[in-house]
Amino acid sequence: MDIDTEEGFAHPLMRWLSGVGEQLDGSMECPTLSLPLDQYEGALRQLAVCEAKLASLRLSLTRQAELNEVRKLTGAANAAGWVQQQTRMGRREAAVSVRLAKALDQTLRATGRALGEGEISLGQAQVIERAIRRLPNDVDAEVKAEAEAFLLDSAQALDTDDLDRAGKHLYEVIAPEDAERRIGKQLEEQERRARENRTLSFGPARDGMGTIFLRLDLPTLAVLQALLDPLARPRPTGPDGPDLRSSERRQADAFAEFLGVAQAAVDAPNRGSIRPRITVTVSYDGLVNKVGYATLNSVLTDSGPAHLEVKSEPDSSGPGVRTLIGYRITGPPVSATLVRQLACDAESIPAVLGGDGAVLDLGRGTRLFTSSQRHALAERDGYFCHFPGCRRPEKWTEAHHIQHWIDGGATDLNNGVLLCQHHHTTIHTQGWTVRMSDNGHPEYIPPPWVDPYQNAIRPNDTTVIRH
């Protein structure tokens, strides 16, 4: 029955909603800071009840709007479209809302009453609707009613996540054969979509860091985790101290180490018979003196990788021209110290430039230790990282030039030692020195802040050598 007011005719529901709105405005102005702590629980539960009752009213109105085709007043294609227009819900959320409203009106009236009385939440009502809809069509209505009653009773003690699991288990109990078939089919479809939606992209390189965005299907992710797990374990405490890295840092270091092994593999992917490698452009003075920086030839730059550039200038000695070959510097910068480390045992090609940008030398992979030499180093020092206290397996190590090849060191057994990536970095950046001892094995000199006396350490010796 419509009510005559000063503003015209208004339905009681509109007057009630207006009153509720005023009450809500008043509650919003009431500061929660002054609420006694022992009343927080009661306030939160009361709010949950109010939310459930309002949701029940909204769903009832949605159902009536669908039956009366109110959508035609706005030109919406269907009831979900009308709900989306009025509430600014997403398309999927609006469709779920219309479907739930219909179910509560037709087949799940007990659930609708429980929601209207605030006994269950909107999320729990959605879970119950989904669980009953999941049952095969040939399940009797009486069985479905019993299932609904079971879920309503369970909802008094379970949150939406546990209630959803109970609903799935109920399906497996009522229709085990169909559940197995349907679950298997759903998993196959999920796995197919996962394979098709695998993505990997590279973000911009800034401040020495690049970003990878990676989404993998579960089997591929499991393989990656299995490969990284042995590399990500904390290192044992050694002369350089305990392993203080976070688990995320250890995973990232393991991934970097894994890439190094993959790059050095005999059957590594290649392009045009060339194994994966990077080119680093560096000045001669910077490389020798470990100062300044170099440029990484990589796709990690918006302007594209560095490339050889030909520049012609008039020749002062005659009518001809002289050609300078140099590098256009466009890639991200790396330190000269890192270049020296990469040059030890990485598939990197250092392009050494003179002061005028001309290429003085283009280093080649022949500077790297061969597989036979690596095997001989392992036979000499043991099949693991040779740094004191480290037992990283030999297959995860890099061959380090004791006297750097840039400084005239040869790539031979008397000038090499196998180090894991972490300790290879330690030697190059943390003040440690490695040298050949009189017994034909490498020994290590710690920096003064580790040992003020800088006693030489031999990994296999039980005593420290004092000078």
Side-chain angles (χ1 to χ4, degrees):
M1 175 180 178
D2 293 336
I3 297 177
D4 193 0
T5 67
E6 294 181 359
E7 299 178 356
F9 293 100
H11 190 278
L13 177 61
M14 300 305 297
R15 294 183 60 185
W16 180 87
L17 289 175
S18 176
V20 170
E22 293 176 358
Q23 293 292 325
L24 286 175
D25 289 341
S27 64
M28 293 295 294
E29 295 175 359
C30 181
T32 58
L33 181 63
S34 59
L35 183 68
L37 295 181
D38 59 354
Q39 296 181 25
Y40 273 57
E41 181 178 340
L44 189 60
R45 289 184 175 180
Q46 187 61 38
L47 284 172
V49 170
C50 292
E51 287 177 348
K53 291 183 176 181
L54 285 173
S56 175
L57 181 59
R58 177 175 59 81
L59 291 170
S60 177
L61 181 63
T62 298
R63 176 58 175 161
Q64 291 303 315
E66 180 183 28
L67 293 174
N68 294 329
E69 297 186 330
V70 176
R71 63 180 178 80
K72 293 181 178 179
L73 298 178
T74 61
N78 49 40
W82 178 78
V83 171
Q84 186 179 7
Q85 288 177 350
Q86 307 308 316
T87 63
R88 294 188 294 276
M89 289 183 182
R91 181 180 303 177
R92 182 179 180 278
E93 184 183 7
V96 169
S97 180
V98 171
R99 185 179 66 209
L100 178 60
K102 183 176 180 179
L104 297 183
D105 179 54
Q106 291 184 337
T107 59
L108 300 177
R109 293 184 177 179
T111 301
R113 288 192 297 271
L115 180 64
E117 294 172 3
E119 295 178 354
I120 62 173
S121 68
L122 174 61
Q124 289 176 315
Q126 291 173 332
V127 168
I128 293 173
E129 185 275 331
R130 186 165 58 246
I132 300 302
R133 177 167 44 87
R134 192 184 292 123
L135 297 175
N137 294 329
D138 57 356
V139 174
D140 295 339
E142 183 178 347
V143 175
K144 290 185 177 180
E146 292 178 359
E148 180 188 9
F150 168 77
L151 292 174
L152 282 172
D153 184 61
S154 301
Q156 304 307 309
L158 301 179
D159 59 27
T160 53
D161 293 335
D162 289 337
L163 188 64
D164 187 51
R165 281 188 281 270
K168 292 177 180 178
H169 178 67
L170 183 68
Y171 174 36
E172 296 171 4
V173 171
I174 294 177
E177 294 181 359
D178 185 78
E180 184 175 356
R181 176 191 60 79
R182 182 173 295 189
I183 291 173
K185 188 175 181 179
Q186 289 175 347
L187 288 174
E188 288 178 1
E189 178 61 20
Q190 289 178 3
E191 292 161 0
R192 182 192 64 80
R193 289 198 305 267
R195 288 191 297 269
E196 293 178 353
N197 292 327
R198 288 186 296 203
T199 58
L200 189 153
S201 59
F202 296 91
R206 297 189 181 95
D207 300 326
M209 295 288 290
T211 304
I212 295 178
F213 301 94
L214 180 63
R215 297 177 71 242
L216 295 175
D217 56 294
L218 291 180
T220 305
L221 183 62
V223 171
L224 179 61
Q225 289 177 320
L227 289 170
L228 297 183
D229 181 67
L231 299 175
R233 296 172 182 170
R235 293 186 302 270
T237 300
D240 56 335
D243 191 348
L244 301 178
R245 297 173 299 166
S246 66
S247 60
E248 292 82 3
R249 167 67 188 279
R250 287 189 279 109
Q251 290 285 349
D253 289 349
F255 186 68
E257 195 167 351
F258 171 73
L259 290 179
V261 174
Q263 184 185 36
V266 175
D267 55 351
N270 62 75
R271 174 178 291 181
S273 74
I274 299 176
R275 292 167 63 189
R277 58 180 51 167
I278 57 177
T279 301
V280 181
T281 307
V282 61
S283 70
Y284 176 78
D285 290 339
L287 187 62
V288 173
N289 298 321
K290 295 186 287 186
V291 296
Y293 67 95
T295 302
L296 186 67
N297 177 352
S298 167
V299 295
L300 298 177
T301 170
D302 296 335
S303 57
H307 64 271
L308 283 170
E309 182 181 72
V310 178
K311 180 180 180 182
S312 299
E313 294 183 353
D315 193 341
S316 58
S317 62
V321 297
R322 62 187 178 93
T323 300
L324 299 178
I325 301 179
Y327 269 79
R328 180 171 62 86
I329 310 302
T330 60
V334 295
S335 69
T337 299
L338 179 58
V339 175
R340 292 173 66 92
Q341 179 180 339
L342 291 174
C344 272
D345 194 37
E347 282 290 335
S348 60
I349 306 299
V352 184
L353 306 183
D356 58 0
V359 177
L360 300 178
D361 176 62
L362 191 64
R364 303 188 182 279
T366 52
R367 76 179 186 284
L368 304 180
F369 286 88
T370 66
S371 59
S372 297
Q373 287 176 313
R374 286 178 57 93
H375 180 78
L377 291 173
E379 284 286 342
R380 184 193 69 191
D381 299 326
Y383 283 86
F384 41 77
C385 170
H386 189 258
F387 193 89
C390 186
R391 286 298 182 268
R392 182 76 77 180
E394 177 269 336
K395 64 179 179 179
W396 302 113
T397 61
E398 301 169 352
H400 169 69
H401 289 77
I402 295 176
Q403 180 185 9
H404 205 287
W405 71 277
I406 294 172
D407 301 325
T411 303
D412 58 34
L413 300 183
N414 292 328
N415 194 44
V417 62
L418 298 180
L419 299 171
C420 68
Q421 188 179 72
H422 167 74
H423 287 120
H424 194 187
T425 303
T426 298
I427 293 296
H428 277 273
T429 64
Q430 300 300 318
W432 285 76
T433 302
V434 57
R435 69 187 184 190
M436 291 300 295
S437 68
D438 53 11
N439 67 356
H441 295 275
E443 63 185 21
Y444 301 83
I445 309 298
W449 54 87
V450 174
D451 179 4
Y453 301 100
Q454 292 191 281
N455 296 307
I457 302 174
R458 294 177 182 174
N460 297 323
D461 285 358
T462 56
T463 59
V464 174
I465 307 168
R466 296 191 177 275
H467 297 282

